[in-house]
Amino acid sequence: MSQPRLLGGRYELDGVIGRGGMAEVYRARDLRLDRVVAVKTLRSDLARDPTFQARFRREAQSAASLNHPSVIAVYDTGEDTIGDTSIPYIVMEYVDGSTLRDLLRENRALMPEKALEITDGILRALDYSHRGQIVHRDIKPANVMLTRNHEVKVMDFGIARAMHDAASTMTQTAQVIGTAQYLSPEQARGERVDARSDIYSTGCVLYELLTGQPPFTGDSPVAIAYQHVREEPVPPSQVDPEIPQWADAIVLKAMAKDADHRYQDATEFRQEIQRALHGQPIASTAASTMLMGGQQQYPQGTQVMGAMPPHTQSQRPVGTGYDLPPVQYDDQDLDRRGGGGGKKAALWITLAVLFIGGAALIGVLLSSGDDNKGNTPADVAVPANIVGQTQSAATKAIEAAGLTVGETTEQFSSEVKNGSVISSNPAPGAEVPPKTPVALVISKGRKPPSTVEVPDVKGRSLNDAQQELTSKGFRVITKQESSNSVDQGNVIRTNPSGGEQAKKNSIVTVFYSSGTENVEVPDLSNQSARAACGELKRMRLRCKIEFVAPPPGTTVTPGFVYQQSPPAGSTLAQGETVTIIVAPKEQQQSPSPGISPPDIGGEGG
């Protein structure tokens, strides 16, 4: 049976869990920290190409610089040698889930609300990376993971670049960088890109989540890229009439050919999605004409009609499609009872009638009110820019708009700094009567880290202690101290001490024995060489014996010490040498001075 492949003496590869254009991903075990990780290695047939080597290293640098819940974390990097070829690898967080590509391969379009939730997760990761000046450049379903807890994780920053670098040409060896079905027009033309290129690609992913198919298809990547540049996508509601037309407006604005006509950043895109999820009017300019049954003209002549012709399409499946706990929606319940399409149509007709009737009634009431009571004050908009402002600045903006500040609550946030506004109710941009209270949610900053018990590592080797403390989530610094009772290299104590509680990622100082305590040299005269060296050994001093005849007229027992250097009472560091002068025995004619072990030079043969 073959042994598992081991990378860097630490990562034991299990099996391949994914393959891409230039890399393979393995499930692996980190033997040092005893945890499951994912290891991405450059394909061996590409390892000799410096272009792929540079791209692979750039992915590690880009991803390692990002630390966000929606971005797959990078733990470590290294290189493995096979023959004379150096193959780089990246050690990443292992995510138990599936990619959106696996989900869509089952031809399962998602409910609009679920598609928007997933897109919102993608945009959270992009908002963070864009604020770090990194453009992903390859957003697609294969690079988005959905965990079993429905958390979104964006991965594969293999062609990501800093924004100032991304301003350079986007082609290499006459090939456009990216994936054809999700290229922005500027990428397809080989022009400079910025964060808005990722917005376009995210719009393509949202289109596919809604309809089950990408916006453009063709016989070759060149044909698809041409469509991104020259043709308008068919609105999602023409592919599936059950898709609401506000989804058309969001998708088509994100996929505008001109970058200036798209959402300008991930935050603006997310705000639009949040308005749709909360049932509020969306701000996209395409929305009003679609929802009012009119038609809108697009640059290439594609028109979005208010009343869509019927299309024959298989029933939309229920759930998310890959062993994940399904998120339930009312529309799904209608589908499961059968005849979901007809009931939805009847529901929409009923709502339209009620809307028109309600509008007429409101018009009559307003007309009557004008005759009897004079003009009614016009509604005012909740300030659109209060999210992210300090509480005091948001209060001033709300009051300046003719509204009042309502209930204020606080909650922790990793994205909004302490004391700033996370959200409001009514939402920013909503039209409300004057003096309406606007409730605010204020950030308390990041949630304090939980505490962990510091393990007791006294007496253990420094290396073992460092590994134990690191595995518990602590950062370790080391300091030396001399000690008589602890062997050299072993831990004397820690600060905080073992058993105490400390915050995760806090510093634990480890004091370890240097084994070099200063000691006072004893008086060794009139002792045998064996006894003198034994006493020096107990004090952790080295013993050097020199056999020299004593001066004339001096009586010294052969084999005994009559002189030493340094003299008694001197101070030495442990490990230093004391030389003892010993009277030779009669049979030892020409002794050679040197370092002798303690059991040499004693009494008797």
Side-chain angles (χ1 to χ4, degrees):
M1 182 174 178
S2 61
Q3 289 291 107
R5 183 178 168 191
L6 194 64
L7 294 183
R10 175 175 177 179
Y11 304 105
E12 185 178 80
L13 302 188
D14 185 359
V16 177
I17 58 176
R19 287 188 171 91
M22 71 170 189
E24 296 174 329
V25 182
Y26 295 84
R27 187 179 186 273
R29 176 165 292 279
D30 182 347
L31 300 180
R32 182 177 299 172
L33 299 180
D34 191 26
R35 65 178 175 185
V36 176
V37 296
V39 177
K40 184 174 185 177
T41 67
L42 184 63
R43 279 172 32 194
S44 56
D45 57 320
L46 303 176
R48 295 180 182 275
D49 189 327
T51 301
F52 286 100
Q53 289 265 4
R55 173 176 168 180
F56 196 84
R57 291 190 178 96
R58 186 166 63 245
E59 173 179 0
Q61 293 169 355
S62 299
S65 66
L66 302 174
N67 181 18
H68 190 273
S70 296
V71 177
I72 289 186
V74 170
Y75 297 144
D76 190 13
T77 60
E79 293 189 356
D80 186 40
T81 301
I82 298 181
D84 60 346
T85 304
S86 178
I87 299 180
Y89 61 85
I90 304 171
V91 183
M92 304 177 294
E93 169 189 8
Y94 176 77
V95 177
D96 185 13
S98 300
T99 66
L100 295 187
R101 179 180 64 181
D102 297 332
L103 174 62
L104 292 166
R105 276 179 173 173
E106 299 177 4
N107 295 320
R108 294 193 173 190
L110 302 182
M111 301 303 296
E113 295 85 354
K114 186 60 181 176
L116 290 186
E117 289 176 5
I118 292 175
T119 306
D120 185 71
I122 298 172
L123 292 169
R124 280 198 300 269
L126 290 178
D127 182 43
Y128 181 80
S129 70
H130 292 166
R131 282 190 277 118
Q133 300 299 304
I134 293 176
V135 183
H136 190 287
R137 304 201 301 171
D138 197 19
I139 292 294
K140 58 184 178 182
N143 286 340
V144 179
M145 294 284 293
L146 196 61
T147 72
R148 295 187 181 276
N149 294 326
H150 296 271
E151 297 172 342
V152 174
K153 298 274 189 178
V154 176
M155 59 183 175
D156 196 355
F157 282 75
I159 62 174
R161 281 190 183 272
M163 290 189 186
H164 56 82
D165 293 333
S168 60
T169 178
M170 291 293 297
T171 58
Q172 288 182 352
T173 61
Q175 292 184 349
V176 177
I177 297 177
T179 304
Q181 285 87 347
Y182 313 96
L183 281 178
S184 66
E186 54 269 26
Q187 282 179 282
R189 290 191 294 263
E191 297 174 353
R192 65 177 58 193
V193 303
D194 57 22
R196 295 173 296 181
S197 296
D198 285 346
I199 297 298
Y200 183 94
S201 300
T202 306
C204 295
V205 173
L206 176 56
Y207 187 106
E208 190 167 356
L209 292 175
L210 290 167
T211 64
Q213 64 188 42
F216 299 113
T217 56
D219 296 331
S220 68
V222 173
I224 298 172
Y226 175 84
Q227 294 177 68
H228 280 290
V229 175
R230 303 295 300 171
E231 298 183 10
E232 290 293 329
V234 176
S237 63
Q238 290 191 24
V239 179
D240 181 357
E242 294 184 8
I243 296 174
Q245 290 184 336
W246 52 256
D248 287 350
I250 294 175
V251 170
L252 296 177
K253 180 166 183 177
M255 292 181 61
K257 303 299 181 189
D258 188 341
D260 291 335
H261 295 162
R262 297 175 204 151
Y263 300 109
Q264 295 303 292
D265 53 45
T267 299
E268 184 182 354
F269 199 167
R270 286 192 64 201
Q271 289 174 346
E272 189 78 309
I273 286 175
Q274 291 301 319
R275 281 191 285 268
L277 290 174
H278 288 84
Q280 299 171 357
I282 61 175
S284 298
T285 54
S288 59
T289 53
M290 291 181 190
L291 294 176
M292 293 301 292
Q295 60 186 16
Q296 181 171 345
Q297 186 73 27
Y298 290 94
Q300 300 300 323
T302 302
Q303 292 181 337
V304 181
M305 305 299 296
M308 297 299 175
H311 288 258
T312 302
Q313 184 172 321
S314 59
Q315 182 178 348
R316 295 169 66 85
V318 178
T320 56
Y322 54 99
D323 292 335
L324 294 177
V327 179
Q328 304 294 342
Y329 299 102
D330 293 340
D331 289 341
Q332 289 178 307
D333 294 336
L334 290 173
D335 287 344
R336 281 196 290 271
R337 286 195 289 269
K343 291 184 179 181
K344 285 184 181 179
L347 177 62
W348 281 109
I349 292 172
T350 302
L351 290 175
V353 171
L354 291 174
F355 177 79
I356 295 171
L361 178 61
I362 291 171
V364 171
L365 292 175
L366 289 176
S367 300
S368 174
D370 287 342
D371 293 339
N372 298 327
K373 299 180 181 179
N375 294 329
T376 301
D379 287 349
V380 295
V382 177
N385 61 344
I386 57 175
V387 172
Q389 287 191 357
T390 63
Q391 183 176 352
S392 60
T395 299
K396 291 178 181 178
I398 291 169
E399 292 174 348
L403 305 171
T404 61
V405 177
E407 181 183 3
T408 300
T409 57
E410 294 184 333
Q411 69 181 46
F412 292 109
S413 172
S414 59
E415 298 181 1
V416 180
K417 64 182 180 181
N418 186 21
S420 296
V421 176
I422 299 174
S423 61
S424 68
N425 186 23
E431 297 282 343
V432 295
K435 303 298 183 182
T436 297
V438 178
L440 297 177
V441 179
I442 307 299
S443 172
K444 295 198 294 183
R446 293 181 180 273
K447 188 175 182 179
S450 57
T451 60
V452 181
E453 183 177 329
V454 178
D456 187 359
V457 294
K458 288 189 298 184
R460 296 172 60 177
S461 70
L462 179 60
N463 186 51
D464 288 348
Q466 286 179 303
Q467 290 188 16
E468 173 73 10
L469 291 165
T470 302
S471 69
K472 297 294 184 182
F474 296 110
R475 292 180 292 156
V476 178
I477 61 175
T478 59
K479 291 185 178 181
Q480 277 190 345
E481 279 189 359
S482 58
S483 173
N484 286 329
S485 58
V486 179
D487 291 338
Q488 184 176 359
N490 287 358
V491 176
I492 302 171
R493 59 188 175 88
T494 61
N495 183 24
S497 302
E500 292 185 9
Q501 295 289 326
K503 293 179 181 179
K504 268 196 171 183
N505 204 36
S506 62
I507 293 176
V508 175
T509 304
V510 177
F511 297 88
Y512 66 97
S513 173
S514 62
T516 57
E517 184 179 5
N518 291 336
V519 294
E520 184 177 326
V521 179
D523 184 0
L524 304 172
S525 59
N526 295 322
Q527 296 187 43
S528 67
R530 183 190 298 273
C533 285
E535 185 171 351
L536 291 174
K537 183 179 180 181
R538 285 192 297 272
M539 302 184 72
R540 299 190 181 186
L541 294 172
R542 300 179 65 190
C543 180
K544 178 181 179 181
I545 303 174
E546 292 186 2
F547 293 95
V548 179
T554 304
T555 302
V556 180
T557 304
F560 277 65
V561 178
Y562 67 87
Q563 191 175 345
Q564 66 184 72
S565 177
S570 302
T571 300
L572 293 180
Q574 289 182 338
E576 294 193 74
T577 300
V578 175
T579 302
I580 57 175
I581 311 300
V582 179
K585 297 181 180 180
E586 294 178 359
Q587 67 269 27
Q588 197 165 358
Q589 298 298 327
S590 301
S592 299
I595 300 175
S596 302
D599 59 342
I600 295 178
E603 307 121 312

